[in-house]
């Protein structure tokens, strides 16, 4: 596979469930990102990892817990979510977390519904 | 803070019509500007970018010019196709002290009818 892949593509969970979203990049990049895309709102950056270290955490509730075991994989662990957490969760990667000309490549997203 | 404002959608056009999607921004410093496109069921893809004033980004017939005097980066295409139907996001990137950060607009849904 090439590019950025995400699994599952769709997830329905109850508020008491624990689930994990997975992202994998096959581009040899060193930075990975989690974004939340809600209807009629701008994309919200949640977390950034650079060389497997978390470098950004945008005031995200603790019910979202990221994990980056290596530069190719990024997880988002979910527990005791709320219905307002229903959204499309997008993963992205870039060569480095230096911005400028480092384009971010996005995965297709996981559509999450919290009942 | 940094922000991006783009025209509210949805925008519906007939094939071969001219497209403009307005985008204005507020930023400290000198941002880079981007347009991303999201086709149905897919993630965002970079469409074009401009890194300094008066630069023109172009790709697949789409163009946008970085206008510092009007803080704008409007997206245009002379003749749209059905396959251009997607959500378009304007974004800016600035250096925030220790790192770069992308800020997105809310997105504009474009539907092109045959």
């Amino acid at each position: 596979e090439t590019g950025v892949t995400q699994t599952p593509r769709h997830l329905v969970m109850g508020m008491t469930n624990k689930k994990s979203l997975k992202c994998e990049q096959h581009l040899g990049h060193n930075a990975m990102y989690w974004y939340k895309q809600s209807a009629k709102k701008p994309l919200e950056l949640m977390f950034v990892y650079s060389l497997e270290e978390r470098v950004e955490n945008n005031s995200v509730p603790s019910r979202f817990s990221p994990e980056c075991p290596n530069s190719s994989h990024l997880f988002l662990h979910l527990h005791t979510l709320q219905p307002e957490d229903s959204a499309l969760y997008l993963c992205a990667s870039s060569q480095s977390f230096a911005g400028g000309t480092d384009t971010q490549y996005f995965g297709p997203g996981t559509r999450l519904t919290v009942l | 803070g940094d922000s991006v404002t783009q025209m509210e959608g949805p925008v519906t056009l007939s094939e071969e019509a001219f497209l403009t999607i307005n985008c204005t921004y507020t930023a400290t410093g000198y941002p880079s500007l981007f347009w991303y496109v999201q086709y149905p069921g897919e993630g965002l893809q970079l469409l074009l970018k401009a890194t300094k004033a008066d630069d023109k980004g172009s790709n697949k017939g789409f163009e946008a010019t970085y206008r510092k005097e009007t803080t704008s980066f409007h997206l245009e295409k002379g003749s749209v196709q059905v396959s251009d139907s997607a959500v378009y996001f304007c974004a800016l990137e600035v250096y925030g002290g220790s790192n770069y950060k992308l800020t997105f607009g809310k997105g504009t849904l474009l539907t092109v009818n045959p």
Side-chain angles (χ1 to χ4, degrees):
Chain A
E1 291 204 62
T2 59
V4 181
T5 57
Q6 291 186 241
T7 54
R9 293 294 307 274
H10 301 272
L11 178 62
V12 179
M13 59 187 289
M15 289 191 284
T16 58
N17 292 158
K18 290 184 180 180
K19 297 286 184 182
S20 295
L21 310 184
K22 179 182 176 182
C23 174
E24 185 173 1
Q25 57 96 1
H26 310 269
L27 302 168
H29 288 167
N30 294 314
M32 296 187 77
Y33 310 75
W34 279 118
Y35 287 88
K36 177 182 179 183
Q37 185 179 20
S38 304
K40 301 189 184 301
K41 292 176 67 175
L43 262 73
E44 302 170 57
L45 179 65
M46 300 175 72
F47 300 104
V48 182
Y49 276 82
S50 177
L51 296 172
E52 300 149 46
E53 286 191 24
R54 191 188 309 181
V55 296
E56 187 91 13
N57 176 353
N58 277 356
S59 302
V60 179
S62 59
R63 57 186 183 269
F64 295 91
S65 175
E67 179 190 2
C68 188
N70 55 63
S71 60
S72 298
H73 293 87
L74 184 65
F75 294 89
L76 188 63
H77 303 300
L78 316 171
H79 63 98
T80 59
L81 295 191
Q82 304 298 311
E84 60 264 30
D85 296 323
S86 299
L88 182 68
Y89 289 84
L90 291 166
C91 174
S93 71
S94 63
Q95 180 60 48
S96 66
F97 188 49
T101 57
D102 279 347
T103 300
Q104 290 188 28
Y105 293 83
F106 285 80
T110 295
R111 174 68 62 187
L112 173 67
T113 303
V114 181
L115 302 177
Chain B
D2 304 321
S3 65
V4 175
T5 303
Q6 58 183 106
M7 63 188 288
E8 298 248 350
V11 174
T12 303
L13 297 173
S14 297
E15 208 165 22
E16 299 184 3
F18 184 86
L19 168 71
T20 300
I21 301 178
N22 290 338
C23 172
T24 57
Y25 66 89
T26 302
T28 54
Y30 302 96
S32 295
L33 301 174
F34 305 81
W35 277 100
Y36 280 83
V37 58
Q38 185 177 30
Y39 297 104
E42 298 184 16
L44 275 70
Q45 301 174 28
L46 179 65
L47 180 61
L48 53 85
K49 66 181 181 183
T51 57
K52 61 182 187 295
D54 300 324
D55 270 2
K56 176 186 282 188
S58 61
N59 186 25
K60 300 182 182 179
F62 291 89
E63 292 183 340
T65 301
Y66 188 142
R67 301 287 188 199
K68 187 178 177 184
E69 63 278 11
T70 54
T71 61
S72 64
F73 193 56
H74 304 322
L75 182 68
E76 296 182 336
K77 186 174 185 181
S79 175
V80 293
Q81 305 300 312
V82 173
S83 57
D84 293 326
S85 298
V87 181
Y88 292 82
F89 294 89
C90 186
L92 66 84
E93 186 177 65
V94 292
Y95 187 72
S98 59
N99 52 64
Y100 287 87
K101 193 169 185 176
L102 261 181
T103 300
F104 287 88
K106 294 183 179 181
T108 302
L109 173 63
L110 170 66
T111 302
V112 180
N113 295 318

